[in-house]
Amino acid sequence: MNISYERSGCKQFFKKHRDDEKTIKACIEKALATQLETGMSKVKRAVSARVNGQCVYECRINLKRTGSARVAFVINENNTDIDVLFISSVLQKDEFTHMLERDLKEAGLCD
């Protein structure tokens, strides 16, 4: 499984947690792999907009000592490539959705 991180939506989070970037990426990779294997039971649709024709999903992930975060991502058609679009420590769903929509529009990623 290949995971890529969208610079516009992940840069600020990684900048804030610079020392834990490797741990954060490992936690995200493990959690998303588990969700794909188990049928994405803890994953919700993040926004109604699409990115490159794909649905945007989100889930809450425990990032060890960094704490919990919400991660928005797109799964490509072959289920082996995942693009992480946005990471935030804001856990409230409606606030996270608002931040994600704004970021996607600013980055020009919405269809």
Side-chain angles (χ1 to χ4, degrees):
M1 175 172 56
N2 299 321
I3 296 182
S4 61
Y5 295 86
E6 180 64 37
R7 183 171 170 82
S8 64
C10 300
K11 179 182 176 184
Q12 184 178 1
F13 188 83
F14 285 134
K15 187 175 180 181
K16 183 177 178 183
H17 302 287
R18 187 179 328 243
D19 297 336
D20 295 327
E21 184 173 345
K22 288 182 182 179
T23 305
I24 291 168
K25 286 182 177 182
C27 289
I28 290 172
E29 183 174 334
K30 182 179 177 186
L32 294 180
T34 301
Q35 289 303 315
L36 284 175
E37 290 172 6
T38 60
M40 298 192 349
S41 60
K42 300 200 184 256
V43 173
K44 300 174 188 165
R45 189 143 179 214
V47 291
S48 59
R50 293 180 173 262
V51 173
N52 297 328
Q54 303 294 327
C55 293
V56 180
Y57 298 103
E58 64 91 8
C59 68
R60 186 172 167 175
I61 298 176
N62 183 1
L63 301 174
K64 304 216 181 216
R65 73 179 192 175
T66 305
S68 292
R70 283 197 185 267
V71 177
F73 59 95
V74 173
I75 302 172
N76 293 333
E77 295 172 6
N78 55 7
N79 284 346
T80 59
D81 295 330
I82 297 176
D83 297 325
V84 176
L85 303 174
F86 191 73
I87 306 171
S88 176
S89 56
V90 173
L91 298 178
Q92 189 173 358
K93 174 75 168 110
D94 60 340
E95 190 175 342
F96 174 80
T97 301
H98 179 70
M99 291 169 53
L100 174 61
E101 287 175 338
R102 185 177 62 229
D103 184 72
L104 291 175
K105 287 178 185 174
E106 287 176 3
L109 295 174
C110 294
D111 287 346

